[in-house]
Every structure is written in C-alpha cells, then in structure tokens.
Amino acid sequence: MPYQDFRQFLDVLRKHGELVDIDRPIDLRTDVGKALKQSYVRKGPALLFSRNGTEFPLVGGLYSTRSKALLAFEATEETIFDKVLGGLDHPIAPTIASAAAPCHEVVLMGKDIDITRFPIPTYSPKDGGPYITAGIFVSKDPESSVTDIGHYRAQIAGKDTFSFFAQPFHRFGKYLTKCQRLGIAAHGAILIGVDPILAYTCQVQTSDDTDDWHVAGGLRGAPVELVRCKTIDLEVPATSEVVIEFEVDQNATASEGPLGEYTGYYTPTSLKPLARITAITHRQKPYFQGLLTGKPVTENHILKAIPFEASILRLLKAQFPTVERVAIPPSGGVSFYVVIAMRPRFAGEARQAILATMASNIRPKWVIVVEPDIDVHDSADVEWAMCFRVRPDRDVFVIEQTPAGPLDPSVGENVATAARVSAAVGVDATRPFGEPFAEASDVPGWQEFVLPELNKPL
C-alpha cells in the first residue's frame, strides 16, 4: 500500500534507522546546512531538528540516499525502474476528499498569516536569506486547467510575502507567462510535508498537457486524495502537513538570491516575481521540511536521479528499443551529464540517440553512449570505453546554440534566462558498427570465486 501521508514515511524511516532525532538547540541560520551536509557525506540518515527556535519541528535529508528513495517507492534496485515505468504508463486520476481534511485542521488568514513562525533555514553563508527549498508548488494552466507540481525555490521576504524563481521553460514559468498575456492573476500553493512519491513526481519529465496528479497516482498505485484550497481555485493533497496559498503580484518584484544552487555555485541576486500569501493551512503540530542544495552531491541531486533516469529511458526506448540503461550521475547536477547503454542496430544509431537526448527538456551538456557491457553507473567503466573505443575525430561532436542547462554558470550571469544558450557534446563510445574490434580481456568467473580470506562482500 502507498504511504498515506508524510508521517507514515517518517515512521518507516525511523524503523529502518534512516531518521535520527536531534534533541539539542540548532540555529536555523548557521547549523542546518552543516548538519545536513555532514549526513549526506556519510550517507547517513535524515535528521529531525525539534529545538530550532520555533514551535514546529524541522526534518531534512529525507531524499539524501538511494536507500531512502527505495523505501519511498517501496522497491528494490531490481524492481525500481519497472515500478516507475509501469506507474508512468498507467496514470490514475485523483479523488476529492469527502470529509474534513487534515491539512485544514488549522486555517490562518488575514492578520494571522505569518510564514516566519515556521522553521525556514538559511543553508549557505551567502544565501540571500531563509529559503523554502523542499516546497512543492502546485499550479494550474490558466487555459487548460492541467495541474503542474514542481520544486521551485522561495525566499522569504516578509510575514506574508516571498519571492520565487521559476524558469521560463518550466511549466509554472509558462503558466505565469500565460496569465500575464491573458491579464489575469496567477495563483498557486506550496506544499510542505507530503507522501514522498509526490516529491519524486515533481522530477518526472512529461509533456505540458500531462496532469501531474495523474502521474503521481500512477507512481503511487492509488489515487491522490485532494481537497480544495480555502482562498484560491486549486486542489491540494488532503494530508499535507502545511499548505501556503498565494497570489502572484503581477505589478511587483523583489530582490531574490543569492542561493547556493544544485550546480554547486551561487546564483546572483536579481529581481523576481513577488507572491502574497492569502492563507496558510496546516495539520495540528505540523512538521516542516528542509532540503539542502549546493555542490553535488546533496539531497537535491539524489531526489532527481531515479525520475530523471526513468524519464529519459522511457523517452529513448520508444524510438531506440535496444537502449537498456540510462545513468544521469549526481556529480553532473543530474541533468548536465547523461550516459546511455544501448546496442546499436545500424551505423549512426548511437548518434541519433545522443541527439534525441540533447533535445529533451533536461538540456544535458554531455551525452555519452556505450554498449551494454559497460556499467553506466561506474565512472571508471565509462571512462575505459571513452579511452579505448572512441576516436575523437570521428566519434566526438559538438552541437552549438543549444538551450543552456538551468543555471549553468559557464554561460554567464548577465544573460537573461530565456536567452541563455550553450553547446552540447556527444560521444559515441560504442565500437565501430560492423567492423572487427580487439577482444576485451578480463578474468572470467572472478565474481563467483570463493576467497574467504578477503572477508568483504562485493
């Protein structure tokens, strides 16, 4: 059975030793980022900070390791991609709650709105201020009413205001542009503390006409139960810990940034849209959630890996059925570097697969194709193929004037977001099609050989 709410997932993490309570004072301005980074480096558990200077507990690191991702999907390494791909192929529509929703146990409107009461950390020393980084933005296309859910960063500007950053090619960014063109107000909601599958749903790459509640239902294997918001025309998960309803002020902007982003670099300060909070609803004694982003590898990168890999695998297999595996390593920010294992059926097919990947919405800068005997998740194996199966004059190519990957610092900080272009490199590291090639040398049977003196599992 899928998780019914955030709290059930916390219970499962604690049962598996993947959640540790920090019962001593933690400074939201200086300590949270350090603690989460240390846990990530150690491949450690999620952390719950109960004494953070607010009345609400803060939990972070929920998606920081592959083991936690498997617990979220209730899967193993052997079943995870079948489960994700099966869920994407069988979407399930949401339902509307028939009774009072837990997320409406406390409703704050008007003068009672104060987002600063919640534990919102400053993660990196030069961040522009407290940031909501784990919040899931819910929005609707103003023309089709199709729902998008996605992670977007929000910097707290005041008790009832925040600025946010939505790239123009992301769906929420497109919705904002449509609202401006139509001359109507843009609304949304930020979810804090939900069934973990919703967080992974945010990373799935789908077409603009795909309703994300249906995707989430497919990945959960059961419908998402929704409830209508109190002040805006939007539905949100009924068991959310905290819901922040907001309206975007079309005539106002605010200074936003810097923020230590997933590229490992600070993004500069610039003017961004300003949102005014119209209501905050939450459960009794709610949990708030944090998420450290910054130099890879952090929780942000692990969270994206499985959905991104499954999305690209699904995209490619429709055209290239001999594609077997895809890796999008966290070291490349989980979008800039893609490795594909396939068995080319004809000369040039590997290059076609590279071009198709470059054209995807994740906008990779490096795409490498290897054969299935190479482990796409093993950087040494991939580098071996690149060193000895590639002739650079023939097998490496550059495609210029491609849309730049999100927040790529090499493009230049002064280029407008919509105008950012770069180039992408393709590497065909498969052996020449139809030509003889040297036989690989290895020691067959080494994995099965019994050598108890080593006393270490592979």
Side-chain angles (χ1 to χ4, degrees):
M1 289 290 294
Y3 295 104
Q4 299 305 304
D5 61 13
F6 188 71
R7 301 179 183 197
Q8 186 183 8
F9 184 52
L10 295 186
D11 290 341
V12 169
L13 290 178
R14 186 174 277 112
K15 177 181 177 182
H16 284 83
E18 293 280 13
L19 177 62
V20 169
D21 294 283
I22 309 295
D23 191 22
R24 57 184 174 81
I26 290 290
D27 193 321
L28 290 172
R29 298 165 299 178
T30 59
D31 295 342
V32 173
K34 295 174 184 176
L36 293 177
K37 180 70 175 184
Q38 191 167 135
S39 186
Y40 299 151
V41 170
R42 297 182 180 187
K43 293 182 168 46
L47 304 176
L48 193 152
F49 307 101
S50 55
R51 298 173 63 187
N52 58 58
T54 77
E55 60 185 297
F56 307 112
L58 172 72
V59 61
L62 295 186
Y63 315 118
S64 61
T65 59
R66 187 89 168 186
S67 60
K68 297 186 193 70
L70 296 177
L71 287 174
F73 278 99
E74 301 176 279
T76 65
E77 286 290 1
E78 291 71 31
T79 63
I80 181 63
F81 280 106
D82 286 342
K83 186 162 190 175
V84 173
L85 293 174
L88 294 177
D89 288 338
H90 298 90
I92 299 175
T95 59
I96 301 298
S98 57
C103 71
H104 288 159
E105 289 172 348
V106 177
V107 178
L108 304 172
M109 292 190 285
K111 294 181 179 179
D112 293 328
I113 295 173
D114 185 358
I115 191 62
T116 64
R117 292 176 54 233
F118 293 91
I120 304 173
T122 299
Y123 292 96
S124 298
K126 294 184 179 180
D127 285 354
Y131 265 93
I132 296 175
T133 51
I136 296 175
F137 279 59
V138 183
S139 59
K140 279 185 181 180
D141 187 310
E143 294 176 321
S144 68
S145 294
V146 168
T147 300
D148 170 64
I149 64 173
H151 279 113
Y152 302 95
R153 71 195 206 195
Q155 181 178 348
I156 304 307
K159 293 174 61 175
D160 62 352
T161 56
F162 63 89
S163 54
F164 62 92
F165 185 24
Q167 297 265 15
F169 60 88
H170 287 151
R171 287 171 67 183
F172 184 40
K174 294 176 182 178
Y175 295 174
L176 293 174
T177 300
K178 284 187 178 182
C179 287
Q180 287 180 326
R181 174 171 53 82
L182 296 171
I184 59 176
H187 300 91
I190 303 177
L191 313 177
I192 308 290
V194 292
D195 168 4
I197 295 301
L198 299 187
Y200 290 96
T201 300
C202 292
Q203 319 309 324
V204 174
Q205 304 297 297
T206 57
S207 61
D208 286 357
D209 60 355
T210 301
D211 192 302
D212 282 346
W213 293 135
H214 294 242
V215 177
L219 292 178
R220 297 179 78 246
V224 179
E225 186 179 40
L226 303 176
V227 65
R228 286 186 61 82
C229 287
K230 292 295 185 178
T231 61
I232 58 175
D233 181 20
L234 205 63
E235 296 78 38
V236 294
T239 59
S240 303
E241 292 292 315
V242 179
V243 178
I244 304 165
E245 303 177 16
F246 66 87
E247 177 176 314
V248 179
D249 189 334
Q250 302 280 25
N251 300 311
T253 57
S255 177
E256 190 269 350
L259 177 68
E261 264 288 1
Y262 77 102
T263 59
Y265 296 89
Y266 285 100
T267 52
T269 302
S270 62
L271 294 176
K272 301 291 194 324
L274 184 70
R276 301 191 184 280
I277 300 172
T278 56
I280 299 176
T281 72
H282 61 80
R283 300 183 69 163
Q284 295 286 354
K285 298 181 179 179
Y287 292 91
F288 210 80
Q289 188 181 353
L291 183 151
L292 176 66
T293 186
K295 182 181 177 181
V297 174
T298 68
E299 177 178 11
N300 190 28
H301 306 96
I302 302 298
L303 172 62
K304 293 177 180 177
I306 289 174
F308 273 34
E309 289 170 354
S311 297
I312 296 299
L313 181 62
R314 185 171 181 245
L315 170 73
L316 292 177
K317 283 188 77 70
Q319 184 176 352
F320 309 101
T322 62
V323 169
E324 294 188 9
R325 295 186 305 280
V326 171
I328 307 181
S331 57
V334 197
S335 66
F336 285 78
Y337 176 39
V338 180
V339 184
I340 301 159
M342 68 180 297
R343 197 177 306 280
R345 298 168 295 175
F346 49 82
E349 188 179 28
R351 184 172 292 228
Q352 282 187 317
I354 290 171
L355 293 171
T357 305
M358 288 179 177
S360 70
N361 200 46
I362 69 168
R363 302 184 174 188
K365 186 186 288 187
W366 302 86
V367 184
I368 302 166
V369 172
V370 297
E371 292 178 60
D373 66 314
I374 301 297
D375 183 351
V376 294
H377 293 285
D378 184 338
S379 60
D381 219 19
V382 174
E383 289 159 13
W384 177 65
M386 291 177 64
C387 287
F388 297 109
R389 296 184 182 181
V390 171
R391 266 184 35 190
D393 61 322
R394 179 191 64 192
D395 300 322
V396 179
F397 60 96
V398 178
I399 302 296
E400 298 180 353
Q401 295 296 302
T402 57
L407 307 182
D408 184 353
S410 70
V411 175
E413 295 180 345
N414 297 321
V415 181
T417 305
R420 293 166 67 88
V421 294
S422 182
V425 179
V427 181
D428 179 357
T430 64
R431 288 167 287 197
F433 185 83
E435 299 179 21
F437 200 84
E439 182 180 359
S441 66
D442 204 346
V443 182
W446 67 270
Q447 291 171 304
E448 295 79 22
F449 185 71
V450 178
L451 193 60
E453 291 82 356
L454 293 181
N455 196 31
K456 288 184 179 180
L458 290 174

